[in-house]
Amino acid sequence: MMMVQDNRKKDFSDGSFLVADGAYSGEKNSRLASEHNLKLVTTNFTGRKPDEIYADFVFTEDGKYLIKCKNDCNPEECNYDPGNDRSVAYFQRSNCEECPYRERCQPRFLKTRVRKEVSWKSVGRAKQLQYMQTEEFSEYAKFRNGVEAIPSLLRRRYHVDKIPVHGKKRT
């Protein structure tokens, strides 16, 4: 199920939230939810997990160019690669040689400078992983588990799928 944009603008300024499975995570769905003042909370993380240091990387508003890395270093040059949807940033070699995050960041050392490719999506996913460790997220996850427990209980314990019916009515 994908979120479908409705032409009518609904405002949920009372702090409403939407709890969903990890399959609904992503920049597009998060942006659509925030346009309606909804908080989208996805409780399962799908795909490869990025290192948490990427959560502190800063991008431009459009998400195409890296402005600052975790160590507060600004790249001397930055390009956007539309084929891979990544920002290709070049840093001074001296900054990355002394960086405490060098082993986790794994930039590519060239002769005179350092190249780092990073996507806006990996930064967003790292921020999501960081958020999943908070107490607020834990409460949302418990809420979702409570909602899903009722249908599961009806199926497992009371076998509602096997209720005998007459005719062609679906159960």
Side-chain angles (χ1 to χ4, degrees), residues 67-104:
I67 298 174
K68 193 180 290 186
C69 74
K70 166 85 174 169
N71 199 29
D72 288 333
C73 293
N74 299 326
E76 50 186 35
E77 181 186 339
C78 190
N79 301 317
Y80 176 67
D81 182 9
N84 294 327
D85 196 26
R86 292 175 176 234
S87 175
V88 181
Y90 295 95
F91 294 91
Q92 292 180 357
R93 194 173 170 96
S94 60
N95 290 341
C96 290
E97 286 174 344
E98 300 168 1
C99 180
Y101 308 105
R102 183 179 71 200
E103 294 300 318
R104 292 170 64 191

Side-chain angles (χ1 to χ4, degrees), residues 12-13 37 51 58 66 80 93 112 123 128 141 146 159 163 166 169:
F12 298 98
S13 56
N37 286 335
D51 197 318
V58 180
L66 181 66
Y80 176 67
R93 194 173 170 96
T112 58
V123 171
Q128 182 182 2
H159 309 288
I163 294 174
H166 298 287
K169 297 179 185 174

Side-chain angles (χ1 to χ4, degrees), residues 119-165:
S119 70
W120 169 251
K121 289 179 184 178
S122 65
V123 171
R125 291 170 63 82
K127 287 180 182 179
Q128 182 182 2
L129 274 177
Q130 216 173 38
Y131 176 66
M132 288 174 116
Q133 297 170 355
T134 64
E135 184 63 34
E136 179 187 11
F137 176 81
S138 177
E139 293 300 316
Y140 288 133
K142 289 177 189 175
F143 172 78
R144 179 172 179 259
N145 291 340
V147 170
E148 289 190 355
I150 295 168
S152 177
L153 177 72
L154 290 172
R155 284 193 152 147
R156 285 184 298 111
R157 178 101 184 208
Y158 298 105
H159 309 288
V160 294
D161 292 332
K162 298 176 184 173
I163 294 174
V165 294

Side-chain angles (χ1 to χ4, degrees), residues 30-42:
S30 296
R31 186 174 32 253
L32 185 58
S34 66
E35 286 174 6
H36 294 286
N37 286 335
L38 282 170
K39 181 174 187 132
L40 178 63
V41 180
T42 54

